[in-house]
Amino acid sequence: MIELIQTYWVYFLIGQYPQGPLGGVAATVLLAALALVLAMPVGLALGLARVSSIAALRRPVTVIAYVIRGIPLLLMVFWIYFYLPTVTGHKTDQFTTMLIALVVFDGVYLGEIVRAGIQGVPRGQYEAARALGLGHGKAMRRVILPQALRSMLPSLVNQFVSTIKATSLGYIIGLTEASFIATQINSQVFVHPTAVYLLLSLMYFVLCFGLSRVALMIERRQARRDLPRPARSPGSPTASSALNA
Amino acid sequence: MPGFDLQLLLHGQYHDWLVAGLLVSLKLAGLTIACALPLAIAIALLRLSPHRALQWLGATYVEVIRNVPLIAHLLFWYFGAPELLPDKLKERLYAGNFEFVAAAIGLTLYAAAFMAENIRSGIRAIPAVQFEAARALGLGFVAAMRRVVLPQALRVTVPPLLSQVIILWNDTSIATVIGVGEMMYQAARVESAAFHSVEAFAFVTVAYLAGSLALTAAATWIHRRWPVRTL
Amino acid sequence: MIRFNQVNKWYGEYHALVDIDETVAKGEVVVVCGPSGSGKSTLIRTVNRLEAIDSGTIAFEGEDIHRPGVDLNRLRSRIGFVFQQFNLFPHLTVLQNCTLAPIEVGGARPAQAHEKAMALLDRVGLAHKANAWPAELSGGQQQRVAIARALAMEPPLMLFDEPTSALDPEMVGEVLLVMQGLVRDGMTLVIVTHEMGFARDVAHRVLFMDQGRILERAEPHEFFEHPKHPRAQQFLADIRTPFARTA
């Protein structure tokens, strides 16, 4: 197994770069990060639409969310891979295909996270903001969303983990991400499939587990900063010192 | 783009392929759920047990399985695991319908990890004081669990579990990677054999959607019929 | 300043406010009391339109405030509202809580708003906590900041929805003290409260509500010594001697 690692680690990490496109682990992480960043504005828009009081905004978005979550990501990848070229006129490469599919998927899931985040802010906050004379838009922007986004952070990191795992679907359409590279290595080496696939799994585990620990850490830090419920015993501030924005 | 040919879906060879694919998807999903649920309960109980070693075992299982994508699991079980077996056994495996078995194993282990977490959360959602109150009334451990904690936990757990089943139904599509003849595999097959693949993908889309929406409707109905009553 | 005219409100089948007719004059301090579910909170929440009404009119400073086309934000900037649960904004400092509305709604310059807010915080005794986070304050301190925040827009009317009900007993006094200061300054206040002692000392008038109706209106002395309506009598008896009830 050691020789395996020694011979192929660079190929596994970055694919054929610079003699070819970026591949391997680097491609996986890059694709996932790019997808999540591009999906954020989509998610924000969808989340706001789902909590909106305007039915014409809320209903179509709810339907879209149900449909997208009701089909496999792979199916969406196939639709885009086989049919987008006929719509746009030129062939879409694997990276772009996966990116579009991931942005759509992540957008919907982020929309759910945003919705949960907004609905998690106590109703009294919105009422207090409106009672002060702030309009709906300002109340959302200055009072609700800042609190919602803070509480969403652990979920966002978890969504990043999901996205990293989802990039593995690129294998099926020939994208040179980590799983694809691993299979290529396996077909060259041929006699150690167990080692190859165990190492692949190990890589994913280290990456994803590490990130989910970060999410847990963020969640814990936030729990300490939370506003306590009213009716507390006198003179005992919560987390004393380090509460800076 | 050629027009939509509904006839394609109703008779003929492609129809047969797609329907066969649907049946395989259903079989795979059904088998996985049947195996994953008991396993998930076992893992959840491990994590909730008072012994540190058992807790650690359950936690390790969940973390290792959950943080590796399903494709990597399937690739491992199909390509990686048999290598550890003696050659004769390995040949017999590959000669038979091993793809389906490998997919079932991989999917079961994967789904069980997520379901175990749902079950554990459900049980933990019931405040400990409920159990204490039951014991204080004189009920034994088993009776307290059976009459007070688990009925409440069940209602909380069912919706997320059903969500997980929907995810599982969608995840059967990934079995195509190791050559299982389920819906996605058949649709891709139609695509490369004919020029009419919109119909095939439409069929597959409707099939997955129907499954997901049926499960969502079931979850909503269950939630209405047996709501979670809290204080 | 406020005029209720045949106001009715339903929550589905439940008649929450029944034929409310009442006037609150400028400079008056009115206390609204009554059992749980009597509609007291609902009533004051209709004044700044946190609740809607189904019939009748409510006039504030002479204008019907529930008609369509009213500038809601401007209306609310002229009415200060203090919540039972304080509802301070946890992601802003105490000072920022108090300057948010003047800057965003009143269009004040930050320096101006800052100065005014500090003066208000000083008035409620919390100037030294200006840069603290709400989570660092006790309940009584949070509620006092909430009062300062509500005063920041210099509203002619202040509404209080059970301002001390969520506080531990030893913190109730500091909040009531601040409210007494407002009374001395001649502000118009409508207060929903269970604090009967405070009502006796400070209110000009007491309204007793039950099941959506105003059943009795009287000066505090009259109300507490000689309640006329049987339900008011029962309510006061229950408060004074909670164990005396037999049937």
Side-chain angles (χ1 to χ4, degrees):
Chain A
M1 200 185 285
I2 307 291
E3 313 164 1
L4 192 66
I5 302 176
Q6 275 178 337
T7 325
Y8 290 103
W9 72 279
V10 178
Y11 185 47
F12 185 54
L13 276 182
I14 57 173
Q16 291 184 325
Y17 192 80
Q19 281 85 22
L22 190 66
V25 180
T28 294
V29 176
L30 182 65
L31 179 60
L34 202 53
L36 200 63
V37 165
L38 291 177
M40 281 276 352
V42 177
L44 198 58
L46 291 179
L48 285 171
R50 286 210 56 178
V51 297
S52 161
S53 47
I54 307 172
L57 266 180
R58 195 180 61 236
R59 293 206 191 118
V61 171
T62 309
V63 170
I64 292 175
Y66 270 112
V67 168
I68 303 248
R69 278 158 52 184
I71 61 171
L73 178 55
L74 186 56
L75 184 56
M76 171 149 316
V77 173
F78 274 12
W79 272 113
I80 297 174
Y81 191 59
F82 289 117
Y83 293 103
L84 197 60
T86 52
V87 169
T88 59
H90 32 235
K91 191 171 185 333
T92 340
D93 70 315
Q94 291 100 333
F95 188 87
T96 314
T97 303
M98 277 309 291
L99 189 61
I100 296 175
L102 284 175
V103 169
V104 171
F105 235 68
D106 269 351
V108 168
Y109 280 97
L110 283 176
E112 284 305 289
I113 292 175
V114 168
R115 181 180 69 92
I118 291 177
Q119 290 179 333
V121 179
R123 178 134 188 91
Q125 290 288 305
Y126 183 74
E127 287 193 344
R130 297 305 306 269
L132 282 172
L134 275 83
H136 175 78
K138 286 216 175 109
M140 289 302 267
R141 245 190 324 124
R142 298 296 306 264
V143 175
I144 303 297
L145 281 178
Q147 296 185 60
L149 290 172
R150 238 166 262 226
S151 70
M152 276 161 49
L153 215 41
S155 298
L156 283 180
V157 178
N158 281 322
Q159 191 60 31
F160 186 45
V161 171
S162 289
T163 311
I164 287 180
K165 293 197 296 176
T167 59
S168 62
L169 291 185
Y171 169 98
I172 300 179
I173 56 172
L175 179 65
T176 54
E177 47 71 59
S179 306
F180 187 85
I181 298 285
T183 306
Q184 292 211 313
I185 295 175
N186 184 47
S187 55
Q188 283 187 19
V189 174
F190 204 69
V191 291
H192 295 299
T194 325
V196 171
Y197 290 114
L198 270 179
L199 286 170
L200 176 67
S201 303
L202 185 64
M203 182 282 292
Y204 278 119
F205 176 75
V206 167
L207 199 53
C208 297
F209 184 68
L211 281 170
S212 55
R213 286 284 115 177
V214 169
L216 201 61
M217 223 176 57
I218 298 176
E219 210 175 330
R220 289 219 180 105
R221 266 187 56 201
Q222 283 188 343
R224 279 190 274 127
R225 285 185 56 158
D226 264 345
L227 199 63
R229 295 282 128 228
R232 288 176 54 75
S233 28
S236 59
T238 41
S240 40
S241 49
L243 289 181
N244 295 305
Chain B
M1 198 159 96
F4 192 91
D5 185 5
L6 191 61
Q7 290 306 310
L8 201 72
L9 295 179
L10 299 176
H11 326 281
Q13 186 184 42
Y14 301 143
H15 160 85
D16 293 337
W17 287 357
L18 290 171
V19 171
L22 175 59
L23 290 173
V24 172
S25 293
L26 286 169
K27 265 202 307 194
L28 187 55
L31 183 61
T32 305
I33 295 172
C35 298
L37 207 49
L39 181 57
I41 295 176
I43 304 287
L45 289 176
L46 276 181
R47 291 201 71 170
L48 290 167
S49 82
H51 300 288
R52 293 273 265 158
L54 293 177
Q55 281 178 17
W56 185 85
L57 206 60
T60 309
Y61 176 90
V62 169
E63 289 303 328
V64 169
I65 301 281
R66 277 203 312 189
N67 284 299
V68 176
L70 186 55
I71 284 191
H73 283 288
L74 296 182
L75 290 174
F76 174 80
W77 287 109
Y78 188 64
F79 292 117
E83 193 217 2
L84 301 170
L85 299 171
D87 281 336
K88 293 292 282 208
L89 196 54
K90 199 167 72 165
E91 277 162 26
R92 274 208 1 233
L93 273 181
Y94 281 127
N97 201 1
F98 183 54
E99 311 84 57
F100 187 87
V101 174
I105 295 176
L107 267 169
T108 301
L109 292 179
Y110 194 69
F114 289 91
M115 287 184 182
E117 284 304 281
N118 288 334
I119 296 174
R120 188 174 77 108
S121 300
I123 294 180
R124 282 177 52 166
I126 311 303
V129 291
Q130 289 283 309
F131 182 72
E132 285 167 13
R135 294 306 303 271
L137 283 172
L139 277 84
F141 180 89
V142 174
M145 275 298 191
R146 210 163 55 86
R147 299 306 230 82
V148 175
V149 179
L150 287 177
Q152 297 184 62
L154 199 64
R155 289 195 187 190
V156 174
T157 311
V158 165
L161 269 185
L162 278 177
S163 278
Q164 208 55 243
V165 172
I166 294 176
I167 294 174
L168 180 68
W169 170 236
N170 287 335
D171 276 349
T172 57
S173 61
I174 301 187
T176 186
V177 134
I178 53 176
V180 176
E182 47 68 65
M183 279 198 281
M184 293 301 288
Y185 180 90
Q186 302 293 359
R189 205 172 153 204
V190 172
E191 200 276 333
S192 56
F195 293 118
H196 301 275
S197 52
V198 182
E199 295 84 350
F201 285 130
F203 175 90
V204 173
T205 305
V206 169
Y208 279 116
L209 263 180
S212 305
L213 292 177
L215 286 165
T216 307
T220 313
W221 180 78
I222 290 178
H223 183 73
R224 286 223 183 97
R225 180 82 175 65
W226 292 289
V228 179
R229 276 182 282 248
T230 49
L231 289 166
Chain C
M1 181 167 273
I2 315 175
R3 199 170 185 330
F4 295 90
N5 197 340
Q6 284 291 300
V7 175
N8 281 281
K9 180 184 174 59
W10 280 269
Y11 283 118
E13 298 279 318
Y14 178 65
H15 201 165
L17 292 175
V18 182
D19 294 333
I20 304 285
D21 277 304
E22 195 55 53
T23 311
V24 175
K26 189 162 155 54
E28 257 202 301
V29 176
V30 176
V31 163
V32 183
C33 65
S36 280
S38 54
K40 346 186 264 295
S41 287
T42 312
L43 185 66
I44 60 164
R45 284 161 65 100
T46 58
V47 179
N48 73 344
R49 285 185 60 169
L50 285 177
E51 300 282 352
I53 59 177
D54 293 305
S55 75
T57 59
I58 303 180
F60 172 67
E61 295 187 316
E63 279 186 57
D64 175 3
I65 56 175
H66 279 264
R67 66 162 209 283
V70 167
D71 185 346
L72 201 48
N73 298 329
R74 195 183 157 279
L75 168 71
R76 287 171 174 164
S77 63
R78 294 187 55 68
I79 302 177
F81 197 97
V82 178
F83 295 84
Q84 180 176 354
Q85 302 289 341
F86 336 138
N87 289 334
L88 288 185
F89 306 134
H91 62 300
L92 303 176
T93 62
V94 161
L95 186 62
Q96 287 167 340
N97 264 270
C98 297
T99 57
L100 180 67
I103 295 176
E104 293 289 336
V105 183
R109 280 191 328 257
Q112 258 182 332
H114 189 109
E115 227 183 278
K116 273 229 195 100
M118 285 302 295
L120 283 170
L121 286 173
D122 193 44
R123 188 170 165 191
V124 303
L126 287 170
H128 60 294
K129 290 282 189 184
N131 291 313
W133 299 97
E136 296 170 8
L137 304 182
S138 72
Q141 292 172 325
Q142 290 188 42
Q143 192 63 301
R144 285 190 277 152
V145 172
I147 296 175
R149 179 177 70 174
L151 288 171
M153 294 291 284
E154 296 176 354
L157 170 69
M158 286 280 280
L159 304 174
F160 292 80
D161 188 359
E162 302 208 36
T164 57
S165 297
L167 296 175
D168 284 343
E170 63 271 23
M171 288 189 279
V172 168
E174 67 195 63
V175 174
L176 293 181
L177 207 60
V178 169
M179 289 166 70
Q180 269 186 337
L182 297 179
V183 173
R184 273 200 304 274
D185 292 339
M187 284 202 76
T188 315
L189 309 177
V190 180
I191 308 168
V192 172
T193 186
H194 293 306
E195 294 292 327
M196 297 298 125
F198 177 76
R200 290 180 81 143
D201 288 339
V202 143
H204 298 146
R205 231 175 359 125
V206 175
L207 301 179
F208 176 75
M209 282 186 75
D210 191 16
Q211 299 190 348
R213 284 173 216 270
I214 300 180
L215 293 181
E216 191 159 335
R217 326 156 153 74
E219 311 231 323
H221 177 80
E222 265 303 298
F223 179 75
F224 288 106
E225 298 306 322
H226 310 290
K228 296 193 182 53
H229 197 285
R231 286 220 271 278
Q233 292 165 355
Q234 186 68 67
F235 177 68
L236 288 172
D238 280 342
I239 289 186
R240 287 194 178 114
T241 47
F243 303 111
R245 261 233 225 213
T246 43

